Amino acid sequence: MTSITISAVRTRTSILDKSLSKGKGEVSLSCFALLFSELVQYCQNRVYTVPELQNKLAEIGTEVGHKITDLLVVREKAGKREIKLLNILLFIKSTVWKSLFGREADKLEHANDDERTYYIIEKEALVNKFISVPKDKGSLNCASFIAGIVEAILCDCGFQAKVTAHWHKGTTYMVKFDDAVVARDKQLEDR
Amino acid sequence: MSRAGTKLDSKKVFCMKNILRYDENLYIINSELFTLTYGALVAQLLKDYENVEDVNKQLERMGYNMGIRLIEDFLARTGSGRCYDFRDTAEKIQTGFKIFLGITPTITNWSAAGDEFSLCFEANPLTEFVELPDHCLNLKYCNVLIGVLRGACEMVQMEIACWFVQDQLKNDNVTELRIKFIKRLEDAIPAGED
């Protein structure tokens, strides 16, 4: 049976025609760990220094972050973004962490000496679990990838910030907001 | 079994057991992190390489590296022995997809000689949220799978070839992966060891 071709182009179903997944799919951790390790090795082959490597990982994390923002805001927040600084941080600590890693981040802290700085602390970061850091690259922290994700989410929601990963009480993500963001948040509070 | 690989293998299995014990309830993760990370990787490769063909090759190479390690995990988890025939292999590959990606592709289209079959995927966690732009029509987005299968089979002394016949991202109804048996590798020395 031959079908009659009417048009040379087949209609493509757009991704927007599909309904949003519930996010219940599961894959094995080994898959992710091996994929991530390939990602790290790939980046490593294209850079010379540890900071460069971390930047590259963060950059790729940013790509992931942009997608996650939209996904979670639509799915978990019924399309409403947070506008308060503390709320967006809590959103990241609980909702984002839960959907990515299956549990909340361990702690959220505010720096005593600097009102712009917050810390998200995680005893054991998923991405660091299987990475053995070579001795000559002691400072390497692959959680930069996750720092990139967090930074993208914050920036996409209108909270310009710089997020970096550090070895401190496990893994600590240091969130440094722009002055303007803190000032705006104060204004909101005053009202 | 006097080859130099034995010692190394047992060490690797030991590491794998450690991970298992350590991580029993965290062994499964949400597929979205995986999906999006893979997507970001492909996007990065497209940025770094001018040519889509090079991206395909790189994806396959990465898959190969994953496959040669993933097979140990598979063997440790399923405790399965040597494949009796290629049909047996097909079923084990299917199980592998179940364990690692949480999907069960259907096995179809056996060739008369029994050396070729297809795996059909209705859904695939790799391609969720993915839409190929027009200039990427030559991109084999899931090429990493081909590498994984090739690498994994090579570690159990089987040379196979695989390729995509249909691809949902290119508007086919299913994604069809064709797998062909090439030959048995006799007592091969693991790559990189002389």
Side-chain angles (χ1 to χ4, degrees):
Chain A
M1 201 175 88
T2 46
S3 58
I4 304 162
T5 311
I6 312 257
S7 158
V9 197
R10 236 203 275 195
T11 23
R12 295 177 78 180
T13 38
S14 153
I15 194 161
L16 297 175
D17 294 330
K18 295 181 202 153
S19 54
L20 189 64
S21 81
K22 294 218 170 60
K24 296 269 189 278
E26 285 170 337
V27 298
S28 124
L29 181 56
S30 339
C31 275
F32 177 76
L34 287 174
L35 179 72
F36 188 71
S37 118
E38 284 303 312
L39 182 70
V40 174
Q41 288 174 53
Y42 171 76
C43 293
Q44 197 179 1
N45 288 337
R46 302 196 135 239
V47 298
Y48 297 101
T49 64
V50 170
E52 269 180 316
L53 174 58
Q54 298 197 140
N55 285 345
K56 188 110 179 149
L57 285 173
E59 206 181 293
I60 296 175
T62 313
E63 292 292 321
V64 177
H66 291 315
K67 309 298 195 280
I68 299 226
T69 318
D70 287 344
L71 184 64
L72 292 186
V73 166
V74 169
R75 189 162 60 202
E76 312 280 344
K77 291 269 160 195
K80 288 204 177 109
R81 280 198 294 112
E82 300 290 353
I83 53 168
K84 286 274 190 57
L85 196 143
L86 195 58
N87 289 352
I88 188 80
L89 284 170
L90 287 171
F91 170 71
I92 288 173
K93 177 185 183 259
S94 54
T95 313
V96 172
W97 238 260
K98 251 193 209 150
S99 71
L100 290 184
F101 311 117
R103 61 190 166 90
E104 290 196 11
D106 295 318
K107 268 184 210 157
L108 175 65
E109 285 177 5
H110 191 180
N112 292 326
D113 50 351
D114 182 9
E115 60 173 4
R116 300 189 303 145
T117 309
Y118 289 79
Y119 303 104
I120 299 170
I121 300 167
E122 190 174 33
K123 271 198 227 76
E124 193 164 53
L126 182 71
V127 290
N128 278 333
K129 204 173 279 179
F130 306 110
I131 306 275
S132 42
V133 178
K135 283 214 173 66
D136 57 323
K137 298 191 177 67
S139 62
L140 172 69
N141 197 332
C142 292
S144 297
F145 177 73
I146 295 176
I149 297 181
V150 175
E151 185 173 310
I153 296 176
L154 286 172
C155 292
D156 286 357
C157 290
F159 296 88
Q160 267 59 41
K162 185 81 206 132
V163 183
T164 45
H166 304 271
W167 292 110
H168 178 71
K169 297 184 193 168
T171 301
T172 297
Y173 306 94
M174 184 168 77
V175 183
K176 249 189 180 4
F177 287 102
D178 276 8
D179 288 324
V181 172
V182 177
R184 187 186 63 197
D185 201 60
K186 280 228 176 83
Q187 266 183 351
L188 275 177
E189 252 166 51
D190 292 344
R191 237 178 257 169
Chain B
M1 284 298 284
S2 61
R3 56 167 213 254
T6 317
K7 206 170 150 197
L8 186 75
D9 283 349
S10 61
K11 194 173 139 208
K12 276 189 192 160
V13 170
F14 173 71
C15 294
M16 204 53 91
K17 273 193 192 138
N18 261 354
I19 294 170
L20 278 179
R21 190 170 57 222
Y22 181 60
D23 225 9
E24 206 67 60
N25 46 358
L26 258 181
Y27 170 65
I28 296 279
I29 62 160
N30 183 306
S31 65
E32 281 169 357
L33 179 62
F34 177 72
T35 306
L36 293 174
T37 304
Y38 184 69
L41 171 66
V42 177
Q44 184 66 40
L45 291 178
L46 282 168
K47 245 184 257 169
D48 290 345
Y49 295 95
E50 308 257 301
N51 189 334
V52 173
E53 282 306 316
D54 290 341
V55 176
N56 291 340
K57 254 183 237 153
Q58 179 66 29
L59 284 175
E60 193 187 334
R61 195 175 310 145
M62 287 175 158
Y64 179 82
N65 293 338
M66 289 168 72
I68 58 181
R69 295 175 65 184
L70 211 52
I71 186 73
E72 286 172 16
D73 200 353
F74 176 80
L75 295 176
R77 242 168 249 289
T78 59
S80 62
R82 213 163 253 291
C83 293
Y84 173 68
D85 57 13
F86 203 47
R87 279 177 195 271
D88 195 10
T89 310
E91 273 161 33
K92 282 183 177 147
I93 290 177
Q94 193 185 33
T95 315
F97 274 101
K98 178 93 196 89
I99 296 178
F100 294 118
L101 291 183
I103 48 172
T104 314
T106 37
I107 305 170
T108 53
N109 298 340
W110 278 97
S111 65
D115 65 341
E116 252 184 83
F117 65 93
S118 291
L119 286 176
C120 286
F121 300 83
E122 294 284 334
N124 176 353
L126 283 178
T127 57
E128 198 172 353
F129 311 129
V130 178
E131 192 173 49
L132 288 187
D134 286 335
H135 65 274
C136 289
L137 286 180
N138 287 328
L139 176 70
K140 292 174 185 142
Y141 188 86
C142 297
N143 230 18
V144 74
L145 293 182
I146 286 184
V148 169
L149 288 178
R150 227 166 41 79
C153 286
E154 201 173 301
M155 287 295 115
V156 288
Q157 274 132 14
M158 237 191 304
E159 190 181 327
I160 58 160
C162 41
W163 63 94
F164 285 102
V165 185
Q166 298 188 72
D167 190 340
Q168 277 165 323
L169 290 177
K170 293 174 187 155
N171 230 7
D172 294 316
N173 285 329
V174 287
T175 297
E176 182 181 349
L177 184 59
R178 193 90 184 135
I179 299 174
K180 184 183 167 63
F181 177 80
I182 306 284
K183 64 172 188 228
R184 262 186 68 183
L185 301 166
E186 296 291 340
D187 241 351
I189 297 168
E193 287 180 30
D194 283 317

PDB file of all heavy atoms in Angstrom, chain B residues 103-134:
ATOM      1  N   ILE B 103      13.269   2.565  31.449  1.00  0.00           N
ATOM      2  CA  ILE B 103      12.357   2.356  30.314  1.00  0.00           C
ATOM      3  C   ILE B 103      12.537   0.946  29.778  1.00  0.00           C
ATOM      4  O   ILE B 103      13.599   0.354  29.925  1.00  0.00           O
ATOM      5  CB  ILE B 103      12.609   3.360  29.158  1.00  0.00           C
ATOM      6  CG1 ILE B 103      14.110   3.421  28.858  1.00  0.00           C
ATOM      7  CG2 ILE B 103      12.050   4.708  29.484  1.00  0.00           C
ATOM      8  CD1 ILE B 103      14.441   4.219  27.634  1.00  0.00           C
ATOM      9  N   THR B 104      11.481   0.414  29.153  1.00  0.00           N
ATOM     10  CA  THR B 104      11.590  -0.919  28.575  1.00  0.00           C
ATOM     11  C   THR B 104      11.322  -0.839  27.086  1.00  0.00           C
ATOM     12  O   THR B 104      10.172  -0.812  26.656  1.00  0.00           O
ATOM     13  CB  THR B 104      10.564  -1.867  29.232  1.00  0.00           C
ATOM     14  OG1 THR B 104      10.628  -1.662  30.647  1.00  0.00           O
ATOM     15  CG2 THR B 104      10.870  -3.305  28.921  1.00  0.00           C
ATOM     16  N   PRO B 105      12.371  -0.775  26.287  1.00  0.00           N
ATOM     17  CA  PRO B 105      12.156  -0.769  24.835  1.00  0.00           C
ATOM     18  C   PRO B 105      11.683  -2.150  24.379  1.00  0.00           C
ATOM     19  O   PRO B 105      11.978  -3.149  25.034  1.00  0.00           O
ATOM     20  CB  PRO B 105      13.549  -0.457  24.276  1.00  0.00           C
ATOM     21  CG  PRO B 105      14.507  -0.861  25.339  1.00  0.00           C
ATOM     22  CD  PRO B 105      13.791  -0.707  26.642  1.00  0.00           C
ATOM     23  N   THR B 106      10.927  -2.194  23.281  1.00  0.00           N
ATOM     24  CA  THR B 106      10.488  -3.491  22.778  1.00  0.00           C
ATOM     25  C   THR B 106      11.497  -4.025  21.766  1.00  0.00           C
ATOM     26  O   THR B 106      12.096  -3.268  21.010  1.00  0.00           O
ATOM     27  CB  THR B 106       9.114  -3.394  22.086  1.00  0.00           C
ATOM     28  OG1 THR B 106       9.065  -2.149  21.392  1.00  0.00           O
ATOM     29  CG2 THR B 106       7.990  -3.459  23.075  1.00  0.00           C
ATOM     30  N   ILE B 107      11.660  -5.345  21.806  1.00  0.00           N
ATOM     31  CA  ILE B 107      12.585  -5.998  20.874  1.00  0.00           C
ATOM     32  C   ILE B 107      11.790  -6.460  19.668  1.00  0.00           C
ATOM     33  O   ILE B 107      10.835  -7.215  19.814  1.00  0.00           O
ATOM     34  CB  ILE B 107      13.259  -7.199  21.548  1.00  0.00           C
ATOM     35  CG1 ILE B 107      13.935  -6.766  22.851  1.00  0.00           C
ATOM     36  CG2 ILE B 107      14.255  -7.856  20.618  1.00  0.00           C
ATOM     37  CD1 ILE B 107      14.410  -7.919  23.706  1.00  0.00           C
ATOM     38  N   THR B 108      12.146  -5.998  18.485  1.00  0.00           N
ATOM     39  CA  THR B 108      11.386  -6.390  17.285  1.00  0.00           C
ATOM     40  C   THR B 108      12.319  -6.591  16.093  1.00  0.00           C
ATOM     41  O   THR B 108      13.529  -6.417  16.201  1.00  0.00           O
ATOM     42  CB  THR B 108      10.383  -5.291  16.868  1.00  0.00           C
ATOM     43  OG1 THR B 108      11.106  -4.065  16.758  1.00  0.00           O
ATOM     44  CG2 THR B 108       9.247  -5.157  17.845  1.00  0.00           C
ATOM     45  N   ASN B 109      11.671  -6.894  14.977  1.00  0.00           N
ATOM     46  CA  ASN B 109      12.346  -6.951  13.676  1.00  0.00           C
ATOM     47  C   ASN B 109      13.621  -7.776  13.650  1.00  0.00           C
ATOM     48  O   ASN B 109      14.667  -7.304  13.203  1.00  0.00           O
ATOM     49  CB  ASN B 109      12.674  -5.530  13.169  1.00  0.00           C
ATOM     50  CG  ASN B 109      11.426  -4.719  12.962  1.00  0.00           C
ATOM     51  OD1 ASN B 109      10.333  -5.273  12.834  1.00  0.00           O
ATOM     52  ND2 ASN B 109      11.579  -3.415  12.943  1.00  0.00           N
ATOM     53  N   TRP B 110      13.544  -8.999  14.124  1.00  0.00           N
ATOM     54  CA  TRP B 110      14.713  -9.873  14.032  1.00  0.00           C
ATOM     55  C   TRP B 110      15.038 -10.170  12.581  1.00  0.00           C
ATOM     56  O   TRP B 110      14.136 -10.387  11.773  1.00  0.00           O
ATOM     57  CB  TRP B 110      14.446 -11.183  14.769  1.00  0.00           C
ATOM     58  CG  TRP B 110      14.672 -11.064  16.229  1.00  0.00           C
ATOM     59  CD1 TRP B 110      13.728 -10.837  17.181  1.00  0.00           C
ATOM     60  CD2 TRP B 110      15.923 -11.155  16.912  1.00  0.00           C
ATOM     61  NE1 TRP B 110      14.324 -10.769  18.418  1.00  0.00           N
ATOM     62  CE2 TRP B 110      15.667 -10.958  18.285  1.00  0.00           C
ATOM     63  CE3 TRP B 110      17.248 -11.369  16.496  1.00  0.00           C
ATOM     64  CZ2 TRP B 110      16.677 -10.976  19.242  1.00  0.00           C
ATOM     65  CZ3 TRP B 110      18.254 -11.381  17.443  1.00  0.00           C
ATOM     66  CH2 TRP B 110      17.966 -11.187  18.810  1.00  0.00           C
ATOM     67  N   SER B 111      16.281 -10.147  12.250  1.00  0.00           N
ATOM     68  CA  SER B 111      16.673 -10.542  10.895  1.00  0.00           C
ATOM     69  C   SER B 111      16.571 -12.071  10.806  1.00  0.00           C
ATOM     70  O   SER B 111      16.588 -12.768  11.824  1.00  0.00           O
ATOM     71  CB  SER B 111      18.096 -10.101  10.598  1.00  0.00           C
ATOM     72  OG  SER B 111      18.984 -10.787  11.447  1.00  0.00           O
ATOM     73  N   ALA B 112      16.485 -12.580   9.584  1.00  0.00           N
ATOM     74  CA  ALA B 112      16.328 -14.029   9.395  1.00  0.00           C
ATOM     75  C   ALA B 112      17.490 -14.786  10.016  1.00  0.00           C
ATOM     76  O   ALA B 112      17.322 -15.840  10.617  1.00  0.00           O
ATOM     77  CB  ALA B 112      16.217 -14.339   7.906  1.00  0.00           C
ATOM     78  N   ALA B 113      18.667 -14.230   9.897  1.00  0.00           N
ATOM     79  CA  ALA B 113      19.849 -14.912  10.416  1.00  0.00           C
ATOM     80  C   ALA B 113      19.971 -14.790  11.945  1.00  0.00           C
ATOM     81  O   ALA B 113      20.814 -15.434  12.553  1.00  0.00           O
ATOM     82  CB  ALA B 113      21.098 -14.337   9.758  1.00  0.00           C
ATOM     83  N   GLY B 114      19.113 -13.983  12.524  1.00  0.00           N
ATOM     84  CA  GLY B 114      19.144 -13.829  13.979  1.00  0.00           C
ATOM     85  C   GLY B 114      20.328 -13.022  14.479  1.00  0.00           C
ATOM     86  O   GLY B 114      20.668 -13.081  15.652  1.00  0.00           O
ATOM     87  N   ASP B 115      20.947 -12.252  13.611  1.00  0.00           N
ATOM     88  CA  ASP B 115      22.098 -11.473  14.055  1.00  0.00           C
ATOM     89  C   ASP B 115      21.793  -9.987  14.125  1.00  0.00           C
ATOM     90  O   ASP B 115      22.666  -9.171  14.397  1.00  0.00           O
ATOM     91  CB  ASP B 115      23.294 -11.726  13.135  1.00  0.00           C
ATOM     92  CG  ASP B 115      23.024 -11.223  11.726  1.00  0.00           C
ATOM     93  OD1 ASP B 115      21.835 -11.025  11.390  1.00  0.00           O
ATOM     94  OD2 ASP B 115      23.994 -11.022  10.976  1.00  0.00           O
ATOM     95  N   GLU B 116      20.538  -9.620  13.881  1.00  0.00           N
ATOM     96  CA  GLU B 116      20.173  -8.211  13.909  1.00  0.00           C
ATOM     97  C   GLU B 116      18.793  -8.050  14.524  1.00  0.00           C
ATOM     98  O   GLU B 116      17.895  -8.838  14.215  1.00  0.00           O
ATOM     99  CB  GLU B 116      20.103  -7.670  12.478  1.00  0.00           C
ATOM    100  CG  GLU B 116      21.218  -6.743  12.094  1.00  0.00           C
ATOM    101  CD  GLU B 116      20.998  -6.201  10.686  1.00  0.00           C
ATOM    102  OE1 GLU B 116      20.242  -5.222  10.527  1.00  0.00           O
ATOM    103  OE2 GLU B 116      21.582  -6.772   9.758  1.00  0.00           O
ATOM    104  N   PHE B 117      18.622  -7.066  15.385  1.00  0.00           N
ATOM    105  CA  PHE B 117      17.281  -6.778  15.887  1.00  0.00           C
ATOM    106  C   PHE B 117      17.141  -5.282  16.141  1.00  0.00           C
ATOM    107  O   PHE B 117      18.120  -4.539  16.087  1.00  0.00           O
ATOM    108  CB  PHE B 117      16.997  -7.569  17.167  1.00  0.00           C
ATOM    109  CG  PHE B 117      17.874  -7.187  18.335  1.00  0.00           C
ATOM    110  CD1 PHE B 117      17.454  -6.218  19.254  1.00  0.00           C
ATOM    111  CD2 PHE B 117      19.108  -7.782  18.517  1.00  0.00           C
ATOM    112  CE1 PHE B 117      18.256  -5.877  20.326  1.00  0.00           C
ATOM    113  CE2 PHE B 117      19.917  -7.435  19.592  1.00  0.00           C
ATOM    114  CZ  PHE B 117      19.489  -6.474  20.494  1.00  0.00           C
ATOM    115  N   SER B 118      15.905  -4.886  16.410  1.00  0.00           N
ATOM    116  CA  SER B 118      15.662  -3.478  16.694  1.00  0.00           C
ATOM    117  C   SER B 118      15.136  -3.305  18.101  1.00  0.00           C
ATOM    118  O   SER B 118      14.428  -4.159  18.612  1.00  0.00           O
ATOM    119  CB  SER B 118      14.624  -2.908  15.731  1.00  0.00           C
ATOM    120  OG  SER B 118      15.145  -2.847  14.446  1.00  0.00           O
ATOM    121  N   LEU B 119      15.509  -2.193  18.702  1.00  0.00           N
ATOM    122  CA  LEU B 119      14.894  -1.797  19.967  1.00  0.00           C
ATOM    123  C   LEU B 119      14.035  -0.587  19.664  1.00  0.00           C
ATOM    124  O   LEU B 119      14.514   0.385  19.075  1.00  0.00           O
ATOM    125  CB  LEU B 119      15.967  -1.406  20.979  1.00  0.00           C
ATOM    126  CG  LEU B 119      16.790  -2.531  21.616  1.00  0.00           C
ATOM    127  CD1 LEU B 119      17.850  -1.925  22.508  1.00  0.00           C
ATOM    128  CD2 LEU B 119      15.894  -3.457  22.417  1.00  0.00           C
ATOM    129  N   CYS B 120      12.756  -0.656  20.047  1.00  0.00           N
ATOM    130  CA  CYS B 120      11.881   0.478  19.794  1.00  0.00           C
ATOM    131  C   CYS B 120      11.557   1.189  21.100  1.00  0.00           C
ATOM    132  O   CYS B 120      11.135   0.556  22.068  1.00  0.00           O
ATOM    133  CB  CYS B 120      10.595   0.022  19.121  1.00  0.00           C
ATOM    134  SG  CYS B 120      10.900  -0.382  17.410  1.00  0.00           S
ATOM    135  N   PHE B 121      11.745   2.484  21.099  1.00  0.00           N
ATOM    136  CA  PHE B 121      11.494   3.297  22.285  1.00  0.00           C
ATOM    137  C   PHE B 121      10.264   4.153  22.058  1.00  0.00           C
ATOM    138  O   PHE B 121      10.177   4.868  21.074  1.00  0.00           O
ATOM    139  CB  PHE B 121      12.666   4.240  22.552  1.00  0.00           C
ATOM    140  CG  PHE B 121      13.968   3.551  22.784  1.00  0.00           C
ATOM    141  CD1 PHE B 121      14.735   3.145  21.713  1.00  0.00           C
ATOM    142  CD2 PHE B 121      14.422   3.323  24.065  1.00  0.00           C
ATOM    143  CE1 PHE B 121      15.946   2.505  21.905  1.00  0.00           C
ATOM    144  CE2 PHE B 121      15.623   2.681  24.273  1.00  0.00           C
ATOM    145  CZ  PHE B 121      16.394   2.271  23.194  1.00  0.00           C
ATOM    146  N   GLU B 122       9.311   4.041  22.976  1.00  0.00           N
ATOM    147  CA  GLU B 122       8.151   4.934  22.926  1.00  0.00           C
ATOM    148  C   GLU B 122       8.548   6.275  23.516  1.00  0.00           C
ATOM    149  O   GLU B 122       8.291   7.331  22.976  1.00  0.00           O
ATOM    150  CB  GLU B 122       7.005   4.357  23.765  1.00  0.00           C
ATOM    151  CG  GLU B 122       6.422   3.072  23.237  1.00  0.00           C
ATOM    152  CD  GLU B 122       5.513   3.316  22.040  1.00  0.00           C
ATOM    153  OE1 GLU B 122       4.963   4.420  21.945  1.00  0.00           O
ATOM    154  OE2 GLU B 122       5.377   2.390  21.219  1.00  0.00           O
ATOM    155  N   ALA B 123       9.187   6.205  24.670  1.00  0.00           N
ATOM    156  CA  ALA B 123       9.648   7.421  25.340  1.00  0.00           C
ATOM    157  C   ALA B 123      11.091   7.180  25.751  1.00  0.00           C
ATOM    158  O   ALA B 123      11.529   6.050  25.869  1.00  0.00           O
ATOM    159  CB  ALA B 123       8.799   7.694  26.566  1.00  0.00           C
ATOM    160  N   ASN B 124      11.779   8.243  25.952  1.00  0.00           N
ATOM    161  CA  ASN B 124      13.191   8.128  26.241  1.00  0.00           C
ATOM    162  C   ASN B 124      13.591   9.325  27.106  1.00  0.00           C
ATOM    163  O   ASN B 124      13.423  10.462  26.683  1.00  0.00           O
ATOM    164  CB  ASN B 124      13.918   8.141  24.893  1.00  0.00           C
ATOM    165  CG  ASN B 124      15.411   8.125  25.028  1.00  0.00           C
ATOM    166  OD1 ASN B 124      15.952   8.230  26.122  1.00  0.00           O
ATOM    167  ND2 ASN B 124      16.074   8.009  23.909  1.00  0.00           N
ATOM    168  N   PRO B 125      14.076   9.065  28.320  1.00  0.00           N
ATOM    169  CA  PRO B 125      14.375  10.199  29.196  1.00  0.00           C
ATOM    170  C   PRO B 125      15.391  11.173  28.602  1.00  0.00           C
ATOM    171  O   PRO B 125      15.389  12.353  28.939  1.00  0.00           O
ATOM    172  CB  PRO B 125      14.931   9.540  30.461  1.00  0.00           C
ATOM    173  CG  PRO B 125      15.166   8.124  30.143  1.00  0.00           C
ATOM    174  CD  PRO B 125      14.336   7.781  28.962  1.00  0.00           C
ATOM    175  N   LEU B 126      16.233  10.691  27.698  1.00  0.00           N
ATOM    176  CA  LEU B 126      17.226  11.598  27.119  1.00  0.00           C
ATOM    177  C   LEU B 126      16.574  12.708  26.304  1.00  0.00           C
ATOM    178  O   LEU B 126      17.094  13.811  26.218  1.00  0.00           O
ATOM    179  CB  LEU B 126      18.175  10.820  26.198  1.00  0.00           C
ATOM    180  CG  LEU B 126      19.263   9.974  26.830  1.00  0.00           C
ATOM    181  CD1 LEU B 126      20.031   9.269  25.749  1.00  0.00           C
ATOM    182  CD2 LEU B 126      20.202  10.837  27.647  1.00  0.00           C
ATOM    183  N   THR B 127      15.439  12.374  25.677  1.00  0.00           N
ATOM    184  CA  THR B 127      14.888  13.336  24.728  1.00  0.00           C
ATOM    185  C   THR B 127      13.728  14.155  25.282  1.00  0.00           C
ATOM    186  O   THR B 127      13.090  14.890  24.544  1.00  0.00           O
ATOM    187  CB  THR B 127      14.386  12.628  23.458  1.00  0.00           C
ATOM    188  OG1 THR B 127      13.408  11.656  23.857  1.00  0.00           O
ATOM    189  CG2 THR B 127      15.500  11.940  22.741  1.00  0.00           C
ATOM    190  N   GLU B 128      13.471  14.008  26.571  1.00  0.00           N
ATOM    191  CA  GLU B 128      12.401  14.820  27.124  1.00  0.00           C
ATOM    192  C   GLU B 128      12.805  16.298  27.077  1.00  0.00           C
ATOM    193  O   GLU B 128      13.978  16.625  27.282  1.00  0.00           O
ATOM    194  CB  GLU B 128      12.135  14.402  28.571  1.00  0.00           C
ATOM    195  CG  GLU B 128      10.784  14.884  29.018  1.00  0.00           C
ATOM    196  CD  GLU B 128      10.408  14.311  30.373  1.00  0.00           C
ATOM    197  OE1 GLU B 128      11.138  13.455  30.884  1.00  0.00           O
ATOM    198  OE2 GLU B 128       9.389  14.735  30.896  1.00  0.00           O
ATOM    199  N   PHE B 129      11.883  17.156  26.822  1.00  0.00           N
ATOM    200  CA  PHE B 129      12.122  18.607  26.679  1.00  0.00           C
ATOM    201  C   PHE B 129      12.967  18.953  25.463  1.00  0.00           C
ATOM    202  O   PHE B 129      13.480  20.058  25.363  1.00  0.00           O
ATOM    203  CB  PHE B 129      12.845  19.206  27.893  1.00  0.00           C
ATOM    204  CG  PHE B 129      12.272  18.864  29.218  1.00  0.00           C
ATOM    205  CD1 PHE B 129      13.057  18.360  30.233  1.00  0.00           C
ATOM    206  CD2 PHE B 129      10.926  19.057  29.458  1.00  0.00           C
ATOM    207  CE1 PHE B 129      12.532  18.042  31.460  1.00  0.00           C
ATOM    208  CE2 PHE B 129      10.384  18.757  30.683  1.00  0.00           C
ATOM    209  CZ  PHE B 129      11.186  18.243  31.692  1.00  0.00           C
ATOM    210  N   VAL B 130      13.153  18.016  24.550  1.00  0.00           N
ATOM    211  CA  VAL B 130      14.069  18.307  23.451  1.00  0.00           C
ATOM    212  C   VAL B 130      13.318  18.529  22.150  1.00  0.00           C
ATOM    213  O   VAL B 130      12.396  17.801  21.815  1.00  0.00           O
ATOM    214  CB  VAL B 130      15.078  17.158  23.246  1.00  0.00           C
ATOM    215  CG1 VAL B 130      15.990  17.464  22.078  1.00  0.00           C
ATOM    216  CG2 VAL B 130      15.890  16.951  24.494  1.00  0.00           C
ATOM    217  N   GLU B 131      13.731  19.560  21.438  1.00  0.00           N
ATOM    218  CA  GLU B 131      13.219  19.799  20.105  1.00  0.00           C
ATOM    219  C   GLU B 131      14.416  20.208  19.253  1.00  0.00           C
ATOM    220  O   GLU B 131      15.172  21.090  19.650  1.00  0.00           O
ATOM    221  CB  GLU B 131      12.191  20.936  20.156  1.00  0.00           C
ATOM    222  CG  GLU B 131      11.396  21.084  18.911  1.00  0.00           C
ATOM    223  CD  GLU B 131      10.281  22.126  19.090  1.00  0.00           C
ATOM    224  OE1 GLU B 131      10.582  23.216  19.577  1.00  0.00           O
ATOM    225  OE2 GLU B 131       9.146  21.839  18.752  1.00  0.00           O
ATOM    226  N   LEU B 132      14.592  19.538  18.137  1.00  0.00           N
ATOM    227  CA  LEU B 132      15.764  19.856  17.326  1.00  0.00           C
ATOM    228  C   LEU B 132      15.484  21.057  16.438  1.00  0.00           C
ATOM    229  O   LEU B 132      14.485  21.077  15.726  1.00  0.00           O
ATOM    230  CB  LEU B 132      16.130  18.668  16.437  1.00  0.00           C
ATOM    231  CG  LEU B 132      16.746  17.439  17.088  1.00  0.00           C
ATOM    232  CD1 LEU B 132      17.188  16.474  16.008  1.00  0.00           C
ATOM    233  CD2 LEU B 132      17.909  17.798  17.970  1.00  0.00           C
ATOM    234  N   PRO B 133      16.355  22.049  16.480  1.00  0.00           N
ATOM    235  CA  PRO B 133      16.201  23.146  15.529  1.00  0.00           C
ATOM    236  C   PRO B 133      16.560  22.673  14.119  1.00  0.00           C
ATOM    237  O   PRO B 133      17.229  21.651  13.954  1.00  0.00           O
ATOM    238  CB  PRO B 133      17.201  24.194  16.024  1.00  0.00           C
ATOM    239  CG  PRO B 133      18.169  23.461  16.867  1.00  0.00           C
ATOM    240  CD  PRO B 133      17.475  22.242  17.385  1.00  0.00           C
ATOM    241  N   ASP B 134      16.106  23.411  13.112  1.00  0.00           N
ATOM    242  CA  ASP B 134      16.249  22.947  11.732  1.00  0.00           C
ATOM    243  C   ASP B 134      17.685  22.720  11.286  1.00  0.00           C
ATOM    244  O   ASP B 134      17.961  21.845  10.481  1.00  0.00           O
ATOM    245  CB  ASP B 134      15.563  23.936  10.782  1.00  0.00           C
ATOM    246  CG  ASP B 134      14.049  23.806  10.874  1.00  0.00           C
ATOM    247  OD1 ASP B 134      13.599  22.710  11.248  1.00  0.00           O
ATOM    248  OD2 ASP B 134      13.352  24.778  10.599  1.00  0.00           O
TER     249      ASP B 134
END
